[in-house]
Amino acid sequence: MNAFSRRGACPALSAPMQTGDGLLVRLNPVAGGISPKLLIGLGESALRHGNGIMEVTARGSLQIRGLTAESARLLAAEVDVLGIAVRSGVPVETGPLAGIDPEEIADPRPLAERVRMAIEEAGLTPRLGPKVSVVVDGGGQLTMDALTADVRLSAVRTGEGVRWCVSVAGDAHGATPLATVDADAARDIAVATLRMVAEKGREAHTRDLSARQLASLAGWHSFAPLSVLPDISPSRGEVIPPARLSPIFSLARGEPTRELPISPLEGEMSGRTERGAQERQPTKSPIGHFDLGERHALGIGLPFGSVPAQPLIELARQGSHLGATEIRLAPGRALLFLGLSSSACDTLRDTAASLGFVTSPTDPRTRIAACPGAPACASGRIATRAIAEEIATESADLLDPSLTLHVSGCAKGCAHPGPSALTLVGDENGAGLVVDGTAKALPAGYRPGYDAARGVAGIAAAVRRERHQGETAAACLARLGAAGIAELYRRN
Ligand code: SF4
């Protein structure tokens, strides 16, 4: 196994990953975004050196597919010539409107930079696994709530100004809150947390930390001087939270509490978290029009997260022509064009729609996860994108927000590792249907791959017939049961 073939690794520019359609590189510009001209240059490089497929991932990284070892080197050299500095090290991610959104609670970029520097100074990058990540979320119109991370620092308003809620191991709804503190303390706790993870080995994540370790992280900063930070470790630095005050604020009143009403860990265990007090809006789709004061931003989605490079080049050209100054990559498989007038947003949206991009957050394609599949990926047993397009057209009403459908070329399930209500997966028997499971599960029924969308249309027709008023598609499917759904899929 060479450096190009280690699965699960982050395929940065210098270490591409082997996939079914050749090598894949993933890159994140240091500046968060790039100019339209640079995106055009990257698209042309992808056409020259890869198979011309470009992707934006669910976490907002740009991927170029279909490279060879030699062409990956040439691509890396061209990225250098274009002057695009790409991030390496532990990902410390900020939102796509960071620093330019008048609605954000705080610009997260300075704190993110300090966390990055502290991680480097502590020498943690080589000791942490490639999927360990930190999110620094300033709030606003596009939060990072849906992204899971090992450490989350989320801005909150308090009577004493902006503070950062530190939580670990999850998305905004599932992460375990530790403390709400100022920026210095948030950075220190973040680095102390990652140090504990590093002590457990390169496969470890914050979910592997013990309750005792989390308790020490939640409480230590209220009395530990900064100088002891490098010594905190599972074996040497575990401390019991002090009896005196913790730096957790009563956000409802906007004042520091005189006593901690419930420990953050107990709060999580009993289902209560600090989240209710965080003044955060629900996660919003990055697709659509965003008012940024004097200028506007337009979010455009890539259907199923990928497009051929040529339409992307054309879209960037039109964006540049209309005055876009920067294009940022957004979690949720989207691109944000910044610096536009309101009328330019409308014109660019029309262009994007005509080129096949997703221009509405309610587009049924946003409810489907589909990997490149056959023929783009050599491991693919079904034409995932064609099946997904057909389902989005024929069975759109099945795809309400309660339901995610996954179309996977094989059991690896690259596009959506977690369970979905319905998963179509290709194998030697055709297109299998998994109900409420992952692509790795045993399918409950099969159809020929070319005919898979018709099986889903059968399920959609049954949901249309059987659905009670106000019932979601997911709830209706649960009533129909896995065996009934598999039978509908097989016989339509
Ligand atoms: S899940 Fe899709 S992209 Fe991943 S290896 Fe299988 S066919 Fe290829």
Side-chain angles (χ1 to χ4, degrees):
M1 187 172 279
N2 61 32
F4 281 5
S5 63
R6 193 161 55 87
R7 286 204 171 273
C10 178
L13 207 50
S14 57
M17 187 174 79
Q18 186 70 54
T19 68
D21 58 342
L23 296 176
L24 171 152
V25 296
R26 182 178 300 158
L27 51 99
N28 292 286
V30 168
I34 54 177
S35 69
K37 191 171 156 217
L38 290 180
L39 185 59
I40 292 167
L42 269 181
E44 289 170 347
S45 288
L47 282 173
R48 256 193 306 278
H49 302 302
N51 61 7
I53 301 288
M54 296 179 77
E55 300 179 321
V56 177
T57 68
R59 292 193 84 92
S61 300
L62 187 68
Q63 294 186 161
I64 295 174
R65 304 188 70 101
L67 299 152
T68 64
E70 178 54 22
S71 69
R73 272 186 275 278
L74 294 170
L75 177 84
E78 288 187 8
V79 169
D80 243 12
V81 170
L82 286 168
I84 303 172
V86 295
R87 280 203 198 295
S88 57
V90 175
V92 181
E93 298 161 306
T94 55
L97 293 178
I100 55 171
D101 181 0
E103 293 182 29
E104 75 184 350
I105 296 169
D107 182 350
R109 295 173 302 174
L111 177 56
E113 195 49 42
R114 293 172 64 199
V115 171
R116 277 183 206 112
M117 285 171 57
I119 291 171
E120 287 310 310
E121 281 164 14
L124 290 173
T125 296
R127 299 174 57 205
L128 291 165
K131 291 192 173 173
V132 170
S133 66
V134 178
V135 158
V136 185
D137 188 353
Q141 297 180 65
L142 283 180
T143 67
M144 303 285 272
D145 286 358
L147 284 200
T148 56
D150 284 272
V151 181
R152 316 183 63 82
L153 309 178
S154 306
V156 292
R157 287 194 186 94
T158 75
E160 300 214 336
V162 171
R163 292 290 183 269
W164 296 87
C165 173
V166 185
S167 58
V168 296
D171 60 14
H173 305 291
T176 301
L178 297 180
T180 299
V181 291
D182 65 21
D184 284 345
R187 174 204 57 194
D188 295 347
I189 296 174
V191 175
T193 305
L194 295 178
R195 188 181 296 278
M196 286 183 180
V197 173
E199 298 254 355
K200 286 184 173 284
R202 274 181 56 84
E203 298 302 314
H205 285 271
T206 45
R207 62 173 177 260
D208 302 315
L209 297 180
S210 67
R212 188 175 166 81
Q213 286 176 305
L214 295 182
S216 74
L217 287 165
W220 76 270
H221 205 273
S222 59
F223 66 90
L226 194 60
S227 57
V228 309
L229 177 63
D231 293 322
I232 287 185
S233 72
S235 53
R236 287 171 289 143
E238 284 189 10
V239 290
I240 303 299
R244 67 188 184 84
L245 290 183
S246 163
I248 291 182
F249 285 76
S250 167
L251 298 173
R253 296 200 310 274
E255 297 167 353
T257 59
R258 290 306 304 160
E259 57 186 4
L260 187 58
I262 184 166
S263 106
L265 299 176
E266 287 167 2
E268 181 61 24
M269 282 182 245
S270 63
R272 294 163 54 192
T273 72
E274 294 175 316
R275 199 171 52 252
Q278 288 182 10
E279 304 179 42
R280 311 303 295 273
Q281 300 299 316
T283 302
K284 188 173 170 183
S285 167
I287 299 166
H289 183 158
F290 298 90
D291 187 346
L292 302 177
E294 286 185 5
R295 305 307 284 174
H296 300 257
L298 180 70
I300 291 170
L302 277 62
F304 317 116
S306 81
V307 284
Q310 194 55 48
L312 195 60
I313 291 170
E314 285 170 37
L315 188 68
R317 281 209 181 104
Q318 174 72 337
S320 175
H321 175 69
L322 290 166
T325 50
E326 184 182 349
I327 299 170
R328 289 193 184 176
L329 304 161
R333 309 178 194 280
L335 295 168
L336 276 169
F337 287 70
L338 309 183
L340 296 167
S341 66
S342 182
S343 63
C345 284
D346 294 342
T347 308
L348 188 60
R349 191 186 51 227
D350 292 346
T351 303
S354 69
L355 289 168
F357 287 88
V358 177
T359 57
S360 162
T362 58
D363 187 311
R365 289 175 293 176
T366 62
R367 311 297 320 160
I368 304 177
C371 72
C377 176
S379 302
R381 309 297 290 255
I382 54 175
T384 47
R385 300 292 165 99
I387 293 170
E389 285 283 356
E390 200 177 334
I391 292 171
T393 307
E394 305 290 331
S395 306
D397 57 341
L398 178 67
L399 304 168
D400 71 16
S402 71
L403 188 139
T404 298
L405 189 144
H406 178 196
V407 188
S408 186
C410 75
K412 288 195 187 79
C414 298
H416 188 78
S420 295
L422 299 173
T423 299
L424 297 181
V425 55
D427 65 21
E428 63 281 4
N429 298 315
L433 174 74
V434 176
V435 180
D436 205 12
T438 71
K440 290 183 169 53
L442 193 66
Y446 280 94
R447 290 181 78 85
Y450 65 84
D451 202 32
R454 204 148 67 90
V456 175
I459 299 170
V463 168
R464 224 169 281 136
R465 265 193 325 269
E466 306 287 336
R467 207 170 185 164
H468 297 154
Q469 200 174 5
E471 190 178 38
T472 63
C476 183
L477 285 178
R479 266 196 311 108
L480 293 174
I485 295 166
E487 181 55 25
L488 287 164
Y489 176 70
R490 271 195 301 263
R491 78 170 182 223
N492 186 43

